[in-house]
Structures are given as structure tokens and as C-alpha cells.
Amino acid sequence: MHLGFWKDLKNTGFVGLSPMDGVTDDIYRTMMAREGAKPIFTEFNAVEGLARNAVKLLEFFEYDGSTERPVVAQVFGIEPESFYSVAVMVAHLGYDGIDINMGCPSKKVEHRGA
């Protein structure tokens, strides 16, 4: 099993930054990274929109590669094909990982089955 950046954080006593919709924007993430938070997570983003070229959603995936490391893209959705497309996109954007949100308490997300 390949653990990627997690193996490097294993014994460091790290503090992770939890993704929070409407809070974890690029400015907040940069501030937290400068304070030592690792890993850095984006706000969650809908895979269906990203897979259908919703360019506006890409703004949520902007990050500062010099300070926000390791950086993880958080996504949610219901279509396996869209998850695959977005995983490829995230890899091309240089992310260190991808997190599939499976426990959002938002009624809007929950009612979609995402």
C-alpha cells in the first residue's frame, strides 16, 4: 500500500486543516498553512459540475503550491464516471491527494445522495 504524504506526517504530531464549506477558501488555507497546518484540504466541490466543465468551480481548486503542501482536493457527488474524470483533473493540477466527502450533514447534499 502506498501511503504518499501520510507516511511523512505519521510521527510528526501534525495538525490537519478540516475542510469547511464557505470557510476554507484560498486565503484561509494559505493562512493556516503558514501556521503549520498539514495537510491542507480544499472546500468540497461537486464532481458532476467539474466533469461537465463548470469553469467557475475550478476557483475552489486554486492553491499556493509553495505554502499549501500537502494539499488535498475534497470532492463529493454520485456519478462514478465524474469521480474518475475529476481524479484525473486533480492529478494534473498537482494535488497531493483527493478526499471523497461521504459524511456531509448538509440537507442539500444529503438529499442528492451525495
Side-chain angles (χ1 to χ4, degrees), residues 1 6 12-13 20 23-24 26 36 50 54 57 60 71 78 81 84 88 93 95 99 101 107-108 114:
M1 172 170 43
W6 292 106
T12 63
M20 297 171 282
V23 176
T24 322
D26 56 339
L50 290 164
L57 293 178
F60 293 108
V71 61
I78 57 174
E81 304 83 19
Y84 175 80
V88 171
L93 291 172
Y95 274 82
D99 172 49
N101 183 303
K107 295 293 182 201
K108 182 178 172 183

Side-chain angles (χ1 to χ4, degrees), residues 7-89:
K7 69 177 171 41
D8 297 330
L9 297 176
K10 184 178 176 185
N11 296 315
T12 63
F14 67 92
V15 174
L17 173 61
S18 296
M20 297 171 282
D21 189 36
V23 176
T24 322
D25 61 11
D26 56 339
I27 295 169
Y28 182 78
R29 292 191 317 265
T30 299
M31 274 183 4
M32 294 298 100
R34 288 182 182 155
E35 294 299 318
K38 291 181 184 198
I40 301 293
F41 288 83
T42 66
E43 293 185 17
F44 68 172
N45 216 334
V47 293
E48 289 83 10
L50 290 164
R52 290 176 181 78
N53 300 316
V55 177
K56 184 82 172 148
L57 293 178
L58 284 174
E59 292 176 14
F60 293 108
F61 278 176
E62 293 178 3
Y63 67 95
D64 180 346
S66 63
T67 59
E68 295 180 61
R69 288 285 182 201
V71 61
V72 178
Q74 186 190 54
V75 297
F76 73 98
I78 57 174
E79 298 174 356
E81 304 83 19
S82 295
F83 277 105
Y84 175 80
S85 296
V86 172
V88 171
M89 178 189 307

